Amino acid sequence: MNKRLLSFIIAIAFTFITALGCFSDISVSASTIELTDYDYENAEKVLGAICPGFPLIDEEVTSDAKLTTRAEFVAAVAMAMNVEVTSGVETPFSDVDAKNPYASAIKYAAGAGLISTVDLFYPDTPITYSQAMKIVMIAAGYGEKAEYMGGYPTGYLRVAREAGVGQNLGMNGTEYITHAQATQIVFDVAVCDMMEITSYGDSYDYSVTEGKNILSTYHKIYMALGVVESNQNTALTNAESIGGDNIIVIDGETFFAPDCENFIGKSVRVFYGDDNANTVIVAYECGNKAYSYTNEDLLKISGYNLTVTPSVGTKDIRYSLEADYSVIYNGKFYGSADYNSVINPASGSVTLIDNDDNNQIDVIIVKDIEYGVIGSVNEFDEKIYDKYKKNGTINLSDSSIKYFAS
C-alpha cells in the first residue's frame, strides 16, 4: 500500500538579486498536497473549525449562488491568518468606517500590503478571481515573484497555479467568485507552501519550505495525509491496536482522534494541533475508491483476485487485490487464510477499498450483523442476554462490539 504522511520539511532556496529580480532559475512546484482531492464541503469543514465565524459559510443561502464581496474575502483571508475580525476600528479607506463588521480585517490587509491603500476600497463590490488571487498570493509570500513574472494579473495567476491555489476551479481571472469558490481559494492558500525571505543584504534569499503554510504559521495547525493503519480496536496487519482509546496511527505516527475509528484502512487527511497528543481537529477521507456490497451479493477470493456476482444483474465484477491486502471483520483484523468464510455475511455488508488509487483493493471491510431480542440485562457484569439464543450474550465492556436498536 502506498502510505504517505506530510511530516517532512524540504527547503528549496533561491536568491533574488534586488536590482535584477532574478527568479529565472526558480522552480516552485505545486504543493505535494493533492488539491483535486478537496471539495468545498471539506474546505468549509476545515476553515469553519479552525476559524470560528468564518464569513463565507452560509446556513441559509446556497454558497454556490452567493457572490463574495471584497470585504468578505479580505475578512476570510485575515481569519486564516489568525486576525480577529471586528468592527470598531478605523481604516485608511473613506468608504469603510468603523461600523463595518470587517473593519479590523480591512485595516490589517492594508497594513500588511495585501490590498492597495488608495482612497476607496469598495467593500460591497463582488471580488473577481484575479483580485482574490493577488490578495492570497501576497499573503503566502509570493508577491515579489508574481511581480517578476508579469505583475497583476498574469504574474499572480501564474504563481497561484504553480503553488496549487485554485487550480481545480477552472477560472480565468475576470469572473466574480461565489462563497464556495472563495472558500476553496482560501483553503488552498492556507495549506500551500509559503515563500519566505530567509536572509538580507546585497541580495534577498527566498525559500519555500514544504509543510510550512498559513495554518502552521499562524494557527500552529498541521496537516497529515495517509492511510489509517491502526485504531483503538485493531491494526491492518494484526488484531492488536497501537495505543489506547481514540488513537489512530498514520504511517507510524499516532494521533488523538475521537470519532475517527471508522477510518481504518482508508486514506485520510487530518488537521491536528501543536500538542504532545497530536490532537485531531478535523479529519476526512480523501483519495479512496470504495465499492460496497450487501449480504445478497456473492463474493469469492481466488489468489489475488476477487469476483463479485451481484444479486441484481448477471455479469460478474472482478477486482485485483493488493499483495498485502487486509481483511477487517467486525472491526478486527482477520488473520485466517480462509477469507471466503467471512466475506459473505448472512446479514450485513462488505466494502472493498482502494486507498492508493492503483486500481487494486487494499482493504476489505466486513460488517457481519447479528440480530437478537433482549431478554435480560446484568448491570453489574455489563452484559446483555438474548431472549431466545442460548449463547447470545453481549459484553458491553468490549469496545469492539457495536450494538444498536432496530
Side-chain angles (χ1 to χ4, degrees), residues 200-220:
Y200 299 86
D202 294 335
S203 65
Y204 294 138
D205 286 341
Y206 282 74
S207 70
V208 174
T209 302
E210 193 164 348
K212 185 171 184 179
N213 53 44
I214 285 175
L215 289 186
S216 65
T217 300
Y218 295 99
H219 293 271
K220 304 301 180 185

Side-chain angles (χ1 to χ4, degrees), residues 142-155:
Y142 289 82
E144 294 282 3
K145 186 181 181 185
E147 291 297 323
Y148 173 76
M149 295 181 70
Y152 178 81
T154 306

Side-chain angles (χ1 to χ4, degrees), residues 289-293 299-309 316-322 352-354 359-361:
K289 293 179 182 177
Y291 311 91
S292 296
Y293 296 97
L299 285 72
K300 183 177 181 179
I301 295 175
S302 178
Y304 291 107
N305 296 289
L306 186 151
T307 302
V308 179
T309 302
D316 288 351
I317 303 171
R318 293 179 173 82
Y319 298 94
S320 295
L321 300 174
E322 192 73 71
L352 314 177
I353 299 172
D354 172 9
N359 295 317
Q360 292 184 315
I361 302 303

Side-chain angles (χ1 to χ4, degrees), residues 375-391:
S376 61
V377 177
N378 187 323
E379 296 183 14
F380 181 79
D381 292 335
E382 294 186 308
K383 291 182 179 180
I384 294 176
Y385 298 93
D386 192 277
K387 184 174 182 178
Y388 300 108
K389 298 175 184 177
K390 185 177 180 180
N391 296 319

Side-chain angles (χ1 to χ4, degrees), residues 49 99 153 202 260 328 335 371 384-385 399:
K99 296 180 181 179
D202 294 335
C260 288
I328 304 298
Y371 294 93
I384 294 176
Y385 298 93
S399 62

Side-chain angles (χ1 to χ4, degrees), residues 11-17 22-28 141-142 144-145 194-199 203-208:
I12 306 169
F14 59 85
T15 301
F16 169 61
I17 307 299
C22 183
F23 282 96
S24 58
D25 295 329
I26 303 166
S27 177
V28 183
Y142 289 82
E144 294 282 3
K145 186 181 181 185
M194 296 181 69
M195 184 173 285
E196 301 176 292
I197 299 176
T198 55
S199 65
S203 65
Y204 294 138
D205 286 341
Y206 282 74
S207 70
V208 174

Side-chain angles (χ1 to χ4, degrees), residues 362-382:
D362 300 284
V363 183
I364 301 173
I365 306 289
V366 181
K367 292 183 179 179
D368 191 356
I369 301 174
E370 183 176 349
Y371 294 93
V373 178
I374 295 176
S376 61
V377 177
N378 187 323
E379 296 183 14
F380 181 79
D381 292 335
E382 294 186 308

